Amino acid sequence: MDTVTQSEKTTVGRATVVTVKREPSQTTSFMMTLIRGMTVTMRHFFSNLFTKTQTETLEYPEEKIPYPERHRGLHRLMKRDDGRVRCVACMCCPTACPANCITIVPAETDDPSVEKYPAVFEIDELRCIVCGLCVEACPCDAIRMDTKLHAAPVEFRGDAIETKTSLLERGGLSHAIQAGKGSDWRESEQ
Amino acid sequence: MIDTLITIADWPGVKWVILVLMFALPVASLLTWAERRQSAMIQDRLGPNRANIGNIRLWGILHFVADVIKMIGKEDFIPGNAHRGLFKLAPILALVPVLIAFCIIPFGPTIYPHALFDVISTDALQGMIIHGGVANDLTWADQITLQILTIDFGLIFYFAILTFANYGTTLAGWSSYNKLALLGGLRASSQMMSYEVTMGLSLMGLFLIMGTLEPGEIVRQQGPNPWQWGIVLQPVAFLLFFSAAIAETKRAPFDLPEGESEIVGYFVEYSGLRWGMFFLSEFIEIVFISMLITSLFFGGWQVPFLHDDGLYLFGTVTEMNHITVSLLRILSFVMKVFFFCWFQLMIRWTLPRFRPDQLMQLGWKRLLPLALLNTMVTALILLWIQ
């Protein structure tokens, strides 16, 4: 509703004075505006009293908005077909991490097909800024953030550190070709 | 035995306990929750609905219990330089006058305990007649007036008592040793004094028509026909009195003495239960104002078309016995009070706050002349009728 019907501009010296002419109901009587306001509030009150169609509030623990597809939650480490960790300890993710929250201690394996594996893989969820750069950086599809889980509140800071075990517990199988297509990709293209 | 019970029931103290401790205070406490829920619904929210005992949730009604427990648990802080005596006295002065003012409210009709199951005639009060039975002296021997004090100067008593609430707010501001609290107290006292004038004068027309200042008598004179109620006889007085009454309770749109979250008011230094007393007195005042408006302008305990001996509707009479009529009338009073409590909350969440100068302009330049004009026109009409 347009309450300002007209405005006049007069110049006094350097200043411009704007005189706003309002509806007579606004300056002479409060009754009309009062009734108008009451109809608005009554309409909302009664519609919300009997139905919840206008209510915006979500009763959080019981009702939740589903997260979007690309939501970044807690990390997880993916597994190979035989259940071993996909991570090859290439150190791409701690390098990319702007918060320096990823700690990897690489170790060698006896398996000739796997050059390195992470003996220790820890993520400090308190330092993590949930930017997702580690996922972008990973060449092996070893780390993902698609769990849609929140970091749980902890009593001690140490409890917020996700270990390799807990990260693998959330992990699943990944069938991506390990380390891209391998060194013989030119031959396989032909 | 029964006589003793009747005597006890007719004792003002018992009626005060029933009306104030068992009705007004619980309703006022519930209003603290109702206001938050209602404002939430007006603003498309849900409001506090989670306080529970086990599985009993009741839409969050128990929030007022939680509030009281919280307030008891808070530190009772008194500022170092505050005037300790007055600081402690102020919340009591704010709360007690309202509790006393309930004395004048007629919350039900006169009950004749010996004639509970008889049908009392419309002319009962004059002729003392009972339908289809024999009225003896015992029938009318005892009566319970559902009004704590029947005093001829009832409304003047209320205005006099109300002035003490003014002391409460002003002293709270002054004794806190806080500039802003003092300013809040001054705002409160100027506002309350300005609007008390209008409040008193707006009722003058009603006084002229009814010829009495005793609320119980005013209710009786309004009768069961809605076109004889105060709202029809004195519509302008109702608007004036209602506006002034909201200003007296210091609630939006007249809440500039304290204004809860935005304005530093007179009880800024109060905490815990002392603050709770100010808070509760505001809501008790809402209940009281609702009761007063109901009594003066909406027929009090009168049910439309319900006479002493039954319902007179569309030319037919449905006879009812005395106890049914009395219970219906008390229920009618309660419903009207609830409606006006709800309506006051509605106004509080609809209207924006006045500026102090607008408040004074409204009070002295609009409401007061209107009240005087209303009194004069009423007097002239009455003179012309006679």
Side-chain angles (χ1 to χ4, degrees):
Chain A
M1 248 168 271
D2 189 20
T3 50
V4 182
T5 49
Q6 229 179 328
S7 64
E8 256 177 32
K9 279 186 184 174
T10 45
T11 317
V12 182
R14 281 185 299 171
T16 314
V17 178
V18 182
T19 314
V20 181
K21 286 187 179 170
R22 296 182 188 279
E23 272 185 24
S25 67
Q26 280 191 319
T27 48
T28 55
S29 163
F30 299 108
M31 285 312 292
M32 282 317 293
T33 42
L34 195 155
I35 291 164
R36 202 186 282 169
M38 289 295 275
T39 49
V40 173
T41 47
M42 292 260 188
R43 198 171 62 234
H44 279 265
F45 175 72
F46 283 112
S47 65
N48 285 323
L49 188 65
F50 298 118
T51 61
K52 289 264 183 287
T53 46
Q54 278 190 313
T55 310
E56 302 277 351
T57 313
L58 209 67
E59 296 208 55
Y60 170 64
E62 292 92 22
E63 300 170 28
K64 285 174 185 170
I65 298 177
Y67 286 124
E69 275 295 293
R70 295 179 60 185
H71 173 263
R72 297 193 290 268
L74 275 185
H75 303 82
R76 62 174 181 158
L77 281 179
M78 307 306 287
K79 291 172 187 164
R80 293 164 198 255
D81 292 342
D82 55 1
R84 285 180 299 164
V85 65
R86 279 185 75 89
C87 176
V88 293
C90 68
M91 307 303 258
C92 275
C93 53
T95 311
C97 182
N100 287 337
C101 66
I102 305 175
T103 311
I104 299 177
V105 177
E108 287 185 14
T109 56
D110 299 334
D111 187 352
S113 68
V114 179
E115 198 176 328
K116 287 194 290 179
Y117 85 103
V120 173
F121 195 109
E122 286 180 352
I123 299 178
D124 188 348
E125 295 292 349
L126 283 183
R127 299 196 63 155
C128 175
I129 59 165
V130 209
C131 62
L133 286 182
C134 49
V135 182
E136 300 282 326
C138 185
C140 308
D141 187 29
I143 185 167
R144 287 191 188 175
M145 295 181 77
D146 56 359
T147 51
K148 298 186 180 171
L149 296 171
H150 300 276
V154 289
E155 203 165 336
F156 301 101
R157 281 164 184 267
D159 294 346
I161 296 174
E162 294 281 342
T163 59
K164 187 178 158 189
T165 326
S166 61
L167 288 167
L168 273 172
E169 266 170 24
R170 284 193 292 271
L173 287 179
S174 171
H175 298 293
I177 299 166
Q178 187 76 20
K181 288 178 177 173
S183 55
D184 55 347
W185 64 275
R186 282 194 185 80
E187 284 83 43
S188 61
E189 283 286 293
Q190 289 160 2
Chain B
M1 176 64 191
I2 289 170
D3 290 341
T4 326
L5 276 179
I6 292 165
T7 320
I8 290 173
D10 201 33
W11 192 57
V14 175
K15 285 187 276 191
W16 187 83
V17 166
I18 290 170
L19 180 65
V20 177
L21 294 190
M22 290 168 69
F23 180 72
L25 277 178
V27 170
S29 326
L30 280 180
L31 278 178
T32 59
W33 162 81
E35 171 162 72
R36 285 179 283 164
R37 280 288 272 181
Q38 192 171 330
S39 66
M41 284 176 175
I42 291 168
Q43 295 163 359
D44 294 347
R45 296 181 284 117
L46 275 177
N49 61 348
R50 284 191 178 263
N52 60 325
I53 297 175
N55 282 329
I56 307 165
R57 201 154 133 187
L58 293 172
W59 314 281
I61 281 177
L62 293 164
H63 265 277
F64 82 90
V65 183
D67 282 343
V68 170
I69 294 171
K70 178 199 75 176
M71 276 195 285
I72 290 172
K74 277 188 168 182
E75 184 192 356
D76 181 22
F77 180 74
I78 298 178
N81 283 324
H83 189 299
R84 294 182 72 88
L86 290 179
F87 191 83
K88 287 174 182 172
L89 184 69
I92 300 171
L93 272 179
L95 182 63
V96 167
V98 204
L99 298 183
I100 296 174
F102 276 104
C103 286
I104 62 160
I105 297 293
F107 58 98
T110 307
I111 290 172
Y112 301 99
H114 295 294
L116 277 184
F117 299 101
D118 296 320
V119 180
I120 297 178
S121 154
T122 321
D123 313 315
L125 292 172
Q126 287 87 38
M128 303 207 164
I129 305 162
I130 283 183
H131 284 260
V134 184
N136 50 31
D137 290 342
L138 186 71
T139 310
W140 315 103
D142 292 305
Q143 55 188 45
I144 301 171
T145 326
L146 292 187
Q147 185 179 7
I148 297 166
L149 286 177
T150 313
I151 38 179
D152 291 339
F153 50 89
L155 287 174
I156 293 185
F157 173 77
Y158 157 61
F159 290 126
I161 285 293
L162 199 70
T163 321
F164 280 100
N166 200 342
Y167 280 110
T169 52
T170 316
L171 284 180
W174 185 78
S175 64
S176 300
Y177 199 73
N178 180 325
K179 281 175 270 189
L180 300 167
L182 178 63
L183 285 174
L186 288 176
R187 281 201 304 275
S189 66
S190 67
Q191 173 180 331
M192 288 173 85
M193 280 196 276
S194 310
Y195 279 79
E196 254 166 41
V197 182
T198 311
M199 224 172 156
L201 275 172
S202 65
L203 292 185
M204 280 302 287
L206 200 71
F207 169 57
L208 286 171
I209 293 174
M210 301 290 178
T212 176
L213 281 170
E214 206 276 291
E217 183 58 30
I218 289 176
V219 170
R220 236 167 284 131
Q221 282 195 22
Q222 288 180 79
N225 297 324
W227 56 86
Q228 287 174 342
W229 287 359
I231 179 71
V232 181
L233 300 174
Q234 289 280 303
V236 181
F238 165 69
L239 285 176
L240 295 173
F241 184 77
F242 199 23
S243 322
I246 293 173
E248 280 292 315
T249 54
K250 299 181 289 298
R251 289 170 58 78
F254 304 101
D255 64 343
L256 45 103
E258 30 104 8
E260 291 183 0
S261 54
E262 298 96 0
I263 305 175
V264 180
Y266 52 87
F267 51 58
V268 65
E269 296 287 0
Y270 283 83
S271 61
L273 268 184
R274 286 187 213 282
W275 176 83
M277 282 167 83
F278 279 116
F279 192 62
L280 193 63
S281 74
E282 185 181 307
F283 283 94
I284 294 175
E285 272 181 59
I286 295 176
V287 181
F288 180 76
I289 294 295
S290 308
M291 285 185 178
L292 204 62
I293 284 172
T294 304
S295 302
L296 298 179
F297 295 102
F298 289 87
W301 39 260
Q302 304 273 12
V303 186
F305 313 113
L306 185 72
H307 290 252
D308 282 329
D309 54 348
L311 200 65
Y312 286 65
L313 206 57
F314 307 119
T316 56
V317 185
T318 321
E319 284 203 342
M320 292 180 189
N321 58 14
H322 183 48
I323 188 161
T324 317
V325 170
S326 304
L327 286 178
L328 274 177
R329 283 174 165 177
I330 294 171
L331 184 72
S332 143
F333 179 75
V334 171
M335 297 301 286
K336 286 173 190 173
V337 168
F338 280 171
F339 173 79
F340 279 102
C341 290
W342 169 83
F343 193 64
Q344 283 185 64
L345 298 190
M346 209 68 208
I347 286 177
R348 187 233 187 285
W349 289 100
T350 301
L351 295 180
R353 185 179 296 133
F354 283 106
R355 272 197 325 257
D357 63 316
Q358 291 173 330
L359 180 93
M360 287 298 145
Q361 275 194 3
L362 182 73
W364 290 106
K365 291 186 181 170
R366 300 260 171 76
L367 295 187
L368 184 63
L370 263 176
L372 284 168
L373 195 72
N374 182 47
T375 313
M376 210 172 76
V377 170
T378 312
L380 285 175
I381 289 174
L382 281 177
L383 200 69
W384 180 64
I385 286 172
Q386 283 168 3

